[in-house]
Amino acid sequence: MEALRQDDPRRFGRFTALARFHEGASAVRYVARDTATGEVVLVTAARPQLAAVPVFSRRFRAEARTAERLAGGWVSPPVGLGEEPEAPADGPEPLWTAAAYVPALPLAEAVAIAGPLLERALRILGAGIAEILSRVHASGSVLQGLAPGTVLLAADGPRLTAFGPLGAAASAEVGPGGQLSVRLGYLTPEQIEGKEVSAASDLFVLGLLLAYAATGTTPFTEGPAEEAARRIAEDEPELDAVPDPLRELIASCLAKDPAERPAAGTVAAELALEGAAGLARGGWLPERLAAAVTDQEARVLALEPPEDDTEPEAGSTEAAEAGAGAAEAEAAESGPEETPEPEDARPEDARPEDPRTDGARPEDPRAAPEPQDARTAPEPEDARPLPVPPADASQTKASPAGTPPADASPVNAPASQAPTAAPASASAPVSDGDTGEDRGTTRFLNTGPRPPQSDRPTTQLALPHELTAPPGAALVPAAHPMPPALPAAPGTPQQPHQQPSHTQGGPAPYPAAALPAGPAGPGGPGGGPMVSLPLPPAPAPAPDPGASRRTLLTIAAAAVGGLVVGGGSVAALGSGDTAAATDDKPAPKPRRTLPGQAPEPRWIYRHPASESSPLTTAVWQDKLLVVTSESQASAVDLRTGKRLWQRADGAKGQAALAAGDDLVFVASPTEFLWLSPKNGKVVHRVRYTEAFTDLPGLTVGRLAGSSGPVIWFTGSHTVTVKAPKPKKGKKKEKDKEVVQAHFFAYDIVQRKELWRTAVPAGRSPGTPAYRVVAERSADVLVRQDAVSLTAAEVKAAKGKGSVRSFDQKTGKLLWTKKYGAASLEAATTGDEDGALYAAVGKDLQAFEADTTKPLWRVEGSDGSWFGTPLIAGPLIHTTERSRLVGAVERESGRLVWRRSTEVPGIGNAPSLTLSSSEKTLIAADAIQVTVFSAADGERLWKFQDIGSADPKGATVSAPYRALTFGETVVVQRDRSFYAFPVA
């Protein structure tokens, strides 16, 4: 981390920038604070010169929205996003996104500090990242955001900070016509062969990261650097140093054939069956890393805004011009130095765009003017070899063909050098931190000794010079010369502001520059251009003549003969662009069903975006999925997933029920409806004003429960109570409006009311919300939701909830009882045998319903409490806020099994559903669906859906729901429905 520069924005919306945190190829990250709440965040701000490119802007926003959809678990939730302009602006619009700050170390930094991770930490790291990938792959998308600089190690588990190729880019270039090329630090065999990426490509990169975390180096290091791409595509990985229990799994991730790689869910299950969060409980970082994380947090929290803060807004040009002037003045005052400044000790953008500048040293032959037809892009920093630091000049090894010696001045060396820079190799490669040590974070931490500089394997991965852009393309020019990096704190080595070079302990990258340059030597006109895997081109607005030129975002893969391969239709995650393959690809092999991986859905149904979101969903007679919304009720065929009909009469209806064998019952806000299951036609209609004529203006509340043809519900209406006749000489009082409430039983087959009983009115507007917790032969047991209790009822309850018993035949209130210390909000259910099960504090307790006598208690997790249990024969399935699911014996309370859903953190207790056979237990929460064997708790598979891939689509935050029929479970999240086979 370093101080803010003169041209850095001071504000991003409501956030005030405090310091630079890290600089990447496409963006700069700042530590910032919310001016109102004091919340500390990390702001990722796109480079202005890239933000001006339309396709970059769209991709940046798409990746930001992907982060929103993935928020939760191991993805820090975004807390701010720069607003998209409604009209074109005069200059580049600021692009930024802010996420909650979590103290954490990049993987590369962690390995540099403490060396390779031990097996338990590797399992937690791999399981956490695989859990994220499984959520991405469930939607048919590919992440392409994995790199050692984008994977962070926090105190409670790993975090991911990049959600697409921009976030993980090693370099970004703009060519003619607005074409944007992004080069990733890691390659896969299919990319090298010019094939399109898939979900399996993410697994290959995950294997590389785990191998690096386990050994401190990459598994394809043996051999010349110029053959690195060939080794990736052909050689077997070197995994001898990987812990034995993990070697086979990592090797399977690194399989050459994508079809042979395991799915993300399989990897997560094999690494940590209890989930990364469960395995990480009690701490998982080595002592040195835990101390570094703590130190980082303390330093960040101590940051204060600069005193000379003039608060230029993000995207403004005032500070940029001031910074340019300051840099030029400083350059004018300093004269040429005899020793060139090390490449990794000065800002990358401070280098002149062309070596033919007036400031170039005349004695340097490489500063001579080039022919006009030999216009080439400046050589990228990470295309230069990483030499072994020689002990003296005589020990310097010969450079590869076409590569300047390590002590030679770079082609584009600046005229003036900063005398304060620490000596370093002038040709040290530069990356954005995704494939090397994050020096910004290292400087900030200043924790622990550095490992020895370089070793043979990482040196062999040094990369020869080569041109990394197609002819005519140019690296994004800096808007103005950048000022030198600010001095580090006393006692801290001077660090460059540019992307850090690869060092021992940092990951060895496999970038585009891993293949030989052209015949003209490094940077020469004969160099092979980068190979690009195109992402879907952005659609051009039809009527806009200025948008007639289609822009293309490409991912650099390898410099192989200038070929630009096509495809890539699944390479973009949430881009919103139209896929356009440029060559024919064979149909992919069908994915194998593996342990831990969700089976292939039998069908997928998407509720139309043109209609309002679903309100309720129900299975009717194992034949129809009936969905109600604000605008209508509709039915989906459970065999095919195809919509059969929709009916506006069912708008805002409650869950559909079976009224006999041939009618669908729906309760709307104003009437009961009986619909034909074939076409949705209204067969019968009973309006409340007609069925309950003695209750004018009746408002029917939520259904409390159902059993066979009987439904229970509450309703209320307002009556006028006339004021009593005043006494002589007194003024007459006003009449009062009083809400009266009733509890009803209604037969939906016979279409008649069975009984009603008066009950206390609830909180305004007056209808109490009841829920039937148990049905017995003689009575029904009912709980009232705490949110519908009046203030007087809450006060009288003194924090304890109660259960009411109503006679099955007459509706008469039989009794009201409280059970131990069960609270007003305590989850409660009962069985037909007279037992009641309620959450009491952090425990689950069983009572005799009629006597309130305690029967047994199951201890829960600290800081958690139980959700509503599910009764299944001799067992009770339990669920907790700590995301634990289990089973206990109904008779004794003996714990049979308890497992984690693998969702990190604390949240709402998952809701439980059993398959029709009661062999499979489905746990659904806001993050995922986890499926267990009901008998022994074996975790079978899990499923996550990140929602719509439309970049401008609404963020999906709805929880998952599960409905079962036959041998199928229908998983719903908002508008998406998936039908999976289950036992």
Side-chain angles (χ1 to χ4, degrees):
M1 191 170 66
E2 64 179 86
L4 293 174
R5 299 177 187 166
Q6 192 170 9
D7 60 334
D8 281 331
R10 291 327 194 243
R11 295 186 66 84
F12 300 91
R14 69 180 189 273
F15 303 109
T16 299
L18 305 177
R20 275 183 164 235
F21 191 79
H22 175 251
E23 185 170 357
S26 62
V28 179
R29 302 179 72 193
Y30 299 90
V31 179
R33 182 177 291 127
D34 189 319
T35 54
T37 65
E39 178 186 13
V40 178
V41 300
L42 284 183
V43 173
T44 301
R47 295 183 180 275
Q49 59 268 36
L50 291 174
V53 181
V55 69
F56 179 93
S57 175
R58 286 194 294 270
R59 168 59 59 175
F60 185 92
R61 295 183 187 280
E63 293 187 11
R65 291 186 176 96
T66 297
E68 291 179 342
R69 297 184 183 102
L70 289 173
W74 306 121
V75 176
S76 297
V79 295
L81 177 66
E83 296 183 359
E84 190 168 3
E86 297 181 358
D90 295 336
E93 285 293 325
L95 285 175
W96 60 271
T97 181
Y101 166 69
V102 176
L105 301 175
L107 175 59
E109 181 69 21
V111 172
I113 291 174
L117 302 181
L118 299 180
E119 180 187 342
R120 177 170 173 266
L122 288 171
R123 288 183 177 275
I124 295 168
L125 170 65
I129 300 304
E131 288 168 10
I132 299 174
L133 290 179
S134 69
R135 296 169 61 191
V136 175
H137 297 166
S139 68
S141 301
V142 183
L143 181 66
Q144 291 189 278
L146 294 183
T150 67
V151 174
L152 308 183
L153 310 187
D156 59 348
R159 294 292 191 280
L160 184 63
T161 62
F163 308 96
L166 291 188
S171 70
E173 302 170 356
V174 175
Q179 175 172 299
L180 176 67
S181 295
V182 173
R183 185 166 56 79
L184 300 177
Y186 279 125
L187 294 182
T188 65
E190 54 268 29
Q191 286 175 300
I192 293 173
E193 294 174 5
K195 299 178 180 178
E196 65 182 24
V197 296
S198 65
S201 303
D202 284 337
L203 270 297
F204 187 89
V205 179
L206 176 60
L208 290 174
L209 292 179
L210 290 178
Y212 162 68
T215 64
T217 187
T218 48
F220 296 100
T221 58
E222 190 65 35
E226 59 270 18
E227 297 183 5
R230 181 199 59 77
R231 293 197 298 274
I232 296 170
E234 300 176 6
D235 292 358
E236 292 302 315
E238 301 172 3
L239 301 175
D240 291 344
V242 173
D244 290 343
L246 303 181
R247 189 174 301 144
E248 183 178 354
L249 178 62
I250 294 177
S252 66
C253 291
L254 297 174
K256 307 302 180 187
D257 184 355
E260 296 301 318
R261 298 170 200 158
T266 302
V267 174
E270 292 194 21
L271 289 174
L273 185 60
E274 296 299 312
L279 192 56
R281 286 194 180 95
W284 71 293
L285 293 178
E287 183 177 351
R288 293 179 65 188
L289 296 184
V293 170
T294 302
D295 178 58
Q296 181 191 105
E297 181 179 21
R299 291 172 180 259
V300 166
L301 294 179
L303 287 172
E304 296 293 342
E307 294 181 359
D308 60 346
D309 186 2
T310 57
E311 298 196 2
E313 293 289 341
S316 66
T317 58
E318 297 177 2
E321 293 171 354
E328 292 169 0
E330 184 174 343
E333 293 176 2
S334 59
E337 299 289 335
E338 294 182 1
T339 304
E341 179 190 7
E343 282 298 341
D344 59 356
R346 67 176 183 278
E348 181 180 12
D349 291 340
R351 294 193 297 272
E353 299 176 21
D354 195 302
R356 294 167 290 172
T357 59
D358 295 337
R361 292 176 301 200
E363 65 273 13
D364 189 341
R366 286 167 294 182
E370 294 178 285
Q372 292 299 320
D373 58 352
R375 301 172 65 90
T376 62
E379 179 188 8
E381 286 302 300
D382 54 2
R384 296 184 179 143
L386 176 65
V388 177
D392 51 53
S394 63
Q395 294 176 345
T396 303
K397 296 181 180 181
S399 301
T403 304
D407 58 351
S409 298
V411 176
N412 51 358
S416 61
Q417 311 294 338
T420 59
S425 170
S427 57
V430 175
S431 73
D432 68 343
D434 291 352
T435 58
E437 176 184 328
D438 186 342
R439 292 196 174 185
T441 309
T442 303
R443 178 162 63 260
F444 165 67
L445 288 169
N446 195 23
T447 306
R450 291 282 176 270
Q453 285 290 323
S454 194
D455 60 4
R456 186 175 61 87
T458 50
T459 300
Q460 288 181 339
L461 281 173
L463 307 173
H465 290 280
E466 75 162 15
L467 182 64
T468 61
L475 286 173
V476 178
H480 53 81
M482 298 290 290
L486 296 179
T492 304
Q494 179 73 16
Q495 301 290 344
H497 86 276
Q498 65 191 46
Q499 290 82 0
S501 62
H502 174 65
T503 62
Q504 194 281 339
Y510 301 119
L515 297 183
M530 73 165 71
V531 166
S532 301
L533 291 180
L535 288 180
D544 183 5
S548 59
R549 183 178 63 248
R550 293 174 64 89
T551 54
L552 181 67
L553 172 64
T554 59
I555 298 179
V560 184
L563 173 67
V564 178
V565 300
S569 60
V570 298
L573 175 60
S575 69
D577 297 338
T578 303
T582 57
D583 58 350
D584 295 329
K585 303 292 182 183
K589 298 179 182 179
R591 178 182 293 180
R592 298 173 298 167
T593 299
L594 301 172
Q597 177 187 6
E600 292 294 330
R602 289 172 170 161
W603 50 258
I604 299 175
Y605 167 70
R606 308 283 186 186
H607 193 69
S610 59
E611 302 175 10
S612 54
S613 296
L615 294 176
T616 67
T617 310
V619 169
W620 182 86
Q621 297 286 61
D622 289 359
K623 297 177 181 179
L624 297 180
L625 179 71
V626 182
V627 180
T628 65
S629 67
E630 292 282 347
S631 58
Q632 63 188 6
S634 57
V636 176
D637 189 335
L638 286 175
R639 297 170 303 168
T640 64
K642 304 296 184 183
R643 180 142 83 163
L644 299 178
W645 50 260
Q646 55 265 10
R647 179 65 58 178
D649 301 76
K652 301 181 181 179
Q654 299 191 49
L657 300 172
D661 296 331
D662 55 356
L663 291 176
V664 178
F665 172 83
V666 175
S668 82
T670 59
E671 58 189 351
F672 290 148
L673 298 172
W674 287 261
L675 309 177
S676 167
K678 295 180 180 180
N679 53 25
K681 181 181 178 181
V682 177
V683 179
H684 302 290
R685 185 193 308 267
V686 174
R687 294 182 173 87
Y688 304 147
T689 55
E690 299 171 355
F692 308 100
T693 55
D694 57 334
L695 302 176
L698 178 68
T699 299
V700 172
R702 184 190 67 196
L703 295 184
S706 65
S707 177
V710 178
I711 62 172
W712 296 281
F713 61 92
T714 55
S716 66
H717 74 124
T718 303
V719 298
T720 301
V721 178
K722 292 187 175 296
K725 185 177 179 180
K727 293 181 180 181
K728 187 177 181 178
K730 297 293 185 179
K731 186 177 180 181
K732 182 180 179 180
E733 297 180 359
K734 293 183 179 180
D735 295 341
K736 294 182 179 180
E737 299 290 324
V738 178
V739 176
Q740 294 181 347
H742 296 83
F743 184 44
F744 298 83
Y746 191 92
D747 190 313
I748 61 175
V749 172
Q750 302 181 47
R751 300 194 297 279
K752 71 174 185 179
E753 179 183 348
L754 299 179
W755 50 256
R756 79 177 71 159
T757 187
V759 295
R763 186 187 298 269
S764 179
T767 304
Y770 281 8
R771 183 173 64 87
V772 174
V773 297
E775 180 196 6
R776 305 190 294 183
S777 59
D779 63 352
V780 288
L781 305 184
V782 175
R783 282 263 296 183
Q784 182 174 351
D785 289 353
V787 293
S788 70
L789 292 170
T790 64
E793 288 174 324
V794 172
K795 183 177 181 181
K798 297 182 179 180
K800 295 184 178 181
S802 60
V803 173
R804 295 182 175 99
S805 168
F806 294 91
D807 187 274
Q808 277 269 31
K809 295 182 178 180
T810 66
K812 179 183 177 181
L813 178 63
L814 301 178
W815 48 256
T816 301
K817 298 181 183 296
K818 297 180 179 180
Y819 296 85
S823 68
L824 293 169
E825 299 85 7
T828 307
T829 194
D831 60 27
E832 70 281 0
D833 297 330
L836 198 76
Y837 312 95
V840 180
K842 68 180 183 66
D843 302 332
L844 180 68
Q845 194 165 354
F847 302 88
E848 285 185 355
D850 294 318
T851 66
T852 72
K853 176 184 175 181
L855 299 176
W856 48 256
R857 179 190 296 265
V858 174
E859 185 176 353
S861 307
D862 291 337
S864 180
W865 58 77
F866 283 88
T868 303
L870 180 64
I871 299 172
L875 298 179
I876 299 175
H877 293 291
T878 62
T879 175
E880 301 178 55
R881 278 189 77 235
S882 56
R883 315 300 175 98
L884 293 175
V885 174
V888 299
E889 293 180 350
R890 283 174 64 182
E891 188 68 24
S892 64
R894 184 183 70 85
L895 182 64
V896 178
W897 59 264
R898 183 179 287 175
R899 299 284 186 272
S900 170
T901 63
E902 302 183 336
V903 173
I906 297 291
N908 292 330
S911 61
L912 302 179
T913 307
L914 275 171
S915 64
S916 299
S917 66
E918 298 191 352
K919 294 180 180 179
T920 305
L921 180 69
I922 302 100
D925 57 25
I927 305 299
Q928 70 183 32
V929 171
T930 312
V931 179
F932 300 89
S933 167
D936 57 14
E938 178 187 0
R939 199 197 71 155
L940 304 177
W941 50 268
K942 65 180 180 177
F943 173 76
Q944 296 164 317
D945 170 27
I946 65 171
S948 170
D950 180 6
K952 296 184 179 297
T955 299
V956 177
S957 58
Y960 291 88
R961 293 190 61 206
L963 304 95
T964 58
F965 69 96
E967 297 181 344
T968 302
V969 56
V970 176
V971 173
Q972 176 199 359
R973 193 182 193 201
D974 195 37
R975 298 176 180 272
S976 300
F977 298 80
Y978 303 83
F980 294 107
V982 292

